[in-house]
């Protein structure tokens, strides 16, 4: 006959309290993102690759590729948010400086800020964010130059890690669905975030069109990694 261990009432109550506390502490919280991108595939493919279960959060990431210019993109982001039946916890517009008129670029950022839209802008191109996974670069480059240097950096890593004498070379493709995993394997996201923060320190004015090179993509990446204190506090207050 098995031994039956009786637990005194006050001890049993204490255990139930502990179990309830553990349950509350590990409760997953649903977080809704809306990310509207200038590029139709490059940026959406990258952000869709982030984990949806992070720490105690479960992310729903609605990512749209619009293929429209900066101010237009912000207006569409506002429209999507305001007309959606879903209440989003974090709303982002992601676009590049490229060759857009400085007034258009700066005006888009101002329009977004005035309407509680966060902006993951890059000057000059989104590929700057990729490059920062490998090196700090504080001189302006063309999109073609970014492509070449990114390829050089990744191919150097592939050669160093490969057992083959002639490993298959990496060729950067703008609309790739694999860049997140490639950067995770060969790059360093923490270094990219550090480099992006360092670039911001080079500029003090609000004429963002001349902040080249510079990017704010890391701020969105912080949120998607569950590392944004500001967003985490907002979610905490919402779930209480």
């Amino acid at each position: 006959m098995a031994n039956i261990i009786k637990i005194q009432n006050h001890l049993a109550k204490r255990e139930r309290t502990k179990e309830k506390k553990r349950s509350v502490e590990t409760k997953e919280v649903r977080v809704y993102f809306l990310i509207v991108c200038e590029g139709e595939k490059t940026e959406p493919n990258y952000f869709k690759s982030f984990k949806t279960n992070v720490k105690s959060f479960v992310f729903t990431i609605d990512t749209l590729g619009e293929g429209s210019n900066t101010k237009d993109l912000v207006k569409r982001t506002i429209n999507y948010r305001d007309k959606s039946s879903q209440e989003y916890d974090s709303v982002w517009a992601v676009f590049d400086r490229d060759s857009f008129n400085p007034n258009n670029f700066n005006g888009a950022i101002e329009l977004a800020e005035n309407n509680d839209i966060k902006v993951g802008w890059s000057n000059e191109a989104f590929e700057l964010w990729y490059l920062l996974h490998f090196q700090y670069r504080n001189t302006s480059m063309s999109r073609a130059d970014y492509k070449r240097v990114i390829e050089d950096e990744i191919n150097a890593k592939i050669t160093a890690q490969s057992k083959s004498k002639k490993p298959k070379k990496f060729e950067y493709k703008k609309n790739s669905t694999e860049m997140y995993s490639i950067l995770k394997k060969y790059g360093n996201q923490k270094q990219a975030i550090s480099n992006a923060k360092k670039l911001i320190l080079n500029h003090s004015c609000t004429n963002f069109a001349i902040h080249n090179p510079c990017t704010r993509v890391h701020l969105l990446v912080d949120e998607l990694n569950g590392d944004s204190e500001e967003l985490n506090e907002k979610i905490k207050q919402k779930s209480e």
Side-chain angles (χ1 to χ4, degrees), residues 161-172:
Q161 296 177 22
S162 177
K163 294 180 180 179
S164 171
K165 291 183 178 180
K166 290 186 177 180
K168 183 179 179 182
K169 284 194 172 184
F170 166 78
E171 182 181 350
Y172 176 69

Side-chain angles (χ1 to χ4, degrees), residues 150-168:
I150 290 168
E151 287 179 343
D152 289 346
E153 289 285 356
I154 293 176
N155 282 318
K157 295 279 187 178
I158 290 174
T159 300
Q161 296 177 22
S162 177
K163 294 180 180 179
S164 171
K165 291 183 178 180
K166 290 186 177 180
K168 183 179 179 182

Side-chain angles (χ1 to χ4, degrees), residues 37 40-50 63 130 174-180:
C37 306
E40 294 183 76
K41 292 184 178 180
T42 301
E43 297 91 333
N45 286 341
Y46 175 74
F47 294 119
K48 284 177 184 175
S49 301
F50 276 77
T63 309
Y130 293 165
K174 184 171 172 56
N175 298 327
S176 172
T177 59
E178 300 176 352
M179 279 309 296
Y180 179 87

Side-chain angles (χ1 to χ4, degrees), residues 7-22:
I7 303 176
Q8 295 180 24
N9 286 341
H10 72 283
L11 294 177
K13 185 177 180 181
R14 184 185 301 169
E15 285 302 313
R16 286 196 299 271
T17 301
K18 286 182 179 178
E19 185 63 33
K20 185 177 180 181
K21 185 178 180 182
R22 281 195 294 269

